[in-house]
Amino acid sequence: MPRAVTLIRSASLSDVAEYAYAATAPAESRLIFLAGACPLNEDGSTAAIGGVAGQAAKAVENLQTALADAGAELYDVISTRVLVASNRQEDLVTAGEVVRDAFGDHDVPSTLMGVTVLGYHDQLVEIEAVAAVLDS
């Protein structure tokens, strides 16, 4: 199946970053703008209370569900923003690693941010994403 997303790496920038610096999608692609994927269970309760890694994993799982419902999958994501309610860099790194591992070799451009608070009770992680697909 042809993919709409092309990841772009820059030889002019540091290779320390574990993601592509840019991505493109052709004009004929359908863009999918996803609400922030939260670490919520089916009953609306917050998953993995107190655990950044567990919440990041649940948010990725919910992101994959939303993508599937829109006719897409992780390989169709063109960019992400990972929000972590923490002022500790190690918490951001933990969430970022979970998300990166879930995406595997599809290392989309991503922003990792520490924020003061997120919308649900006990929520520590949220993942925003944009995807692009070529409909047949």
Side-chain angles (χ1 to χ4, degrees), residues 3-17:
R3 299 280 179 197
V5 177
T6 301
L7 301 179
I8 301 167
R9 287 157 178 76
S10 175
S12 303
L13 297 170
S14 172
D15 63 357
V16 171

Side-chain angles (χ1 to χ4, degrees), residues 32-134:
I32 303 166
F33 298 88
L34 293 110
C38 300
L40 299 179
N41 296 312
E42 199 170 299
D43 67 1
S45 63
T46 302
I49 293 174
V52 171
Q55 287 200 9
K58 183 62 176 176
V60 168
E61 178 185 322
N62 290 342
L63 175 66
Q64 289 176 293
T65 299
L67 284 164
D69 289 347
E73 58 187 73
L74 289 180
Y75 274 97
D76 298 312
V77 171
I78 195 166
S79 68
T80 64
R81 181 178 299 127
V82 180
L83 309 172
V84 183
S86 178
N87 63 358
R88 296 170 13 112
Q89 187 177 28
E90 49 273 24
D91 290 340
L92 276 69
V93 169
T94 296
E97 287 174 346
V98 169
V99 174
R100 182 194 68 222
D101 290 349
F103 276 80
D105 64 353
H106 186 64
D107 55 345
V108 299
S110 185
T111 298
L112 179 59
M113 299 174 59
V115 298
T116 304
V117 65
L118 291 166
Y120 291 99
H121 188 67
D122 294 320
Q123 182 183 0
L124 299 174
V125 178
E126 188 162 332
I127 305 167
E128 297 177 11
V130 176
V133 294
L134 296 170

